[in-house]
Amino acid sequence: MDFRFSQTQEAFRKQLTDFLRRELPSQWKDSVGMSEDDNWDLTIQIRKKLAKQGWLTMHWPKEYGGQQASPMLSLVFNEEMSYHRAPGRDAFGTRMLGPTLMIYGTEEQKLKFLPPVGRGEIQWCQGYSEPEAGSDLASLSTSAKDEGDHFLVNGSKIWTSLAHRSDWMMLLARTNPEAPKHRGISFLLVDLKSDGITINDIINMAGTHEFNQVFFDNVRVPKSNLVGQ
């Protein structure tokens, strides 16, 4: 078995590294320890250029705007982006939301939410952890009450990375309080510009800002933003 990268893979590596050396500022090598938030303008700039090259969602199927790139090409992309500590990747949108919608989303949801991610135009965040339910998602208490054509969301999420920079949130909320605690939880797409949302900064011990606590006070979420059951 030949474990070497193929000529195609190495050619892509060179193309990507040339791009990064050209686009990253000359002082970038001295920016170790800076958070993504510290370089937000550069993050967005690089993201849109990656999207223009077709690299931001290169692992997506072609029918959703990707290149259906092989796992090895994706590996090369991730290796070089990590080696150069390059900003621009949107893990929440490209690796979490996108694949979820491809499997469980309606056609309307796919057409609405996938193209902006592929173009690098939107930032997503993940609303899972809560003050009393960190990794134990079955204990979450944020509620989403069925009000006919919409849900009414109340509660809070914590350690929400990049919520202060995000446009939308993937939210887990309890829609059936009578069900066993590991059931009755739904996946909602929430516009963070909605009325009733408050985002509070959490500054870590190093003085950097990435985490947030997000509060929901009677936030209306359309039924059309429910993903799956």
Side-chain angles (χ1 to χ4, degrees):
M1 181 177 291
D2 188 350
F3 289 97
R4 291 173 297 181
F5 288 98
S6 70
Q7 290 183 351
T8 299
Q9 292 155 4
E10 290 294 3
F12 171 64
R13 187 189 300 277
K14 184 179 185 309
Q15 185 183 9
L16 177 58
T17 55
D18 287 347
F19 166 86
L20 293 174
R21 288 167 183 158
R22 184 173 64 249
E23 298 296 336
L24 292 175
S26 57
Q27 70 275 19
W28 185 251
K29 64 180 186 300
D30 300 320
S31 65
V32 176
M34 295 179 71
S35 70
E36 191 170 28
D37 186 70
D38 295 325
N39 301 288
W40 191 250
D41 289 343
L42 181 63
T43 294
I44 298 303
Q45 177 184 329
I46 297 289
R47 178 178 300 166
K48 289 185 176 180
K49 290 182 177 180
L50 289 171
K52 190 174 181 179
Q53 295 282 352
W55 296 339
L56 189 62
T57 54
M58 60 187 293
H59 58 292
W60 283 12
K62 291 181 179 179
E63 59 264 36
Y64 300 121
Q67 298 180 355
Q68 207 154 330
S70 70
M72 291 305 294
L73 273 183
S74 294
L75 171 65
V76 171
F77 176 78
N78 289 318
E79 275 189 343
E80 292 304 322
M81 291 290 289
S82 298
Y83 179 78
H84 289 86
R85 296 179 296 100
R89 285 179 291 180
D90 173 22
F92 294 120
T94 64
R95 299 185 190 178
M96 299 178 68
L97 176 77
T100 300
L101 287 187
M102 290 174 201
I103 297 172
Y104 298 106
T106 64
E107 195 59 31
E108 180 183 7
Q109 289 170 339
K110 294 172 187 176
L111 291 174
K112 178 179 180 179
F113 293 109
L114 293 181
V117 172
R119 293 192 297 264
E121 297 174 348
I122 196 165
Q123 176 68 48
W124 282 84
C125 65
Q126 171 185 285
Y128 293 0
S129 296
E130 298 185 1
E132 302 300 325
S135 299
D136 180 14
L137 291 178
S139 295
L140 66 82
S141 60
T142 294
S143 64
K145 185 180 178 183
D146 191 336
E147 295 287 350
D149 65 342
H150 67 276
F151 293 102
L152 208 57
V153 177
N154 285 279
S156 73
K157 299 293 179 177
I158 201 166
W159 313 126
T160 311
S161 300
L162 296 179
H164 63 299
R165 297 293 193 183
S166 296
D167 306 290
W168 285 77
M169 173 186 283
M170 301 170 280
L171 175 76
L172 289 181
R174 193 167 296 283
T175 45
N176 184 0
E178 306 301 321
K181 71 174 191 174
H182 62 288
R183 297 186 181 277
I185 298 171
S186 297
F187 189 97
L188 302 173
L189 307 179
V190 180
D191 185 345
L192 290 179
K193 297 186 295 294
S194 302
D195 291 338
I197 295 179
T198 302
I199 300 174
N200 289 349
D201 302 349
I202 298 176
I203 308 301
N204 68 20
M205 65 189 297
T208 61
H209 179 202
E210 182 178 3
F211 299 130
N212 305 270
Q213 185 167 8
V214 185
F215 296 90
F216 303 88
D217 181 11
N218 288 327
V219 176
R220 293 169 62 101
V221 178
K223 278 284 187 67
S224 58
N225 288 7
L226 170 67
V227 179
Q229 298 181 356

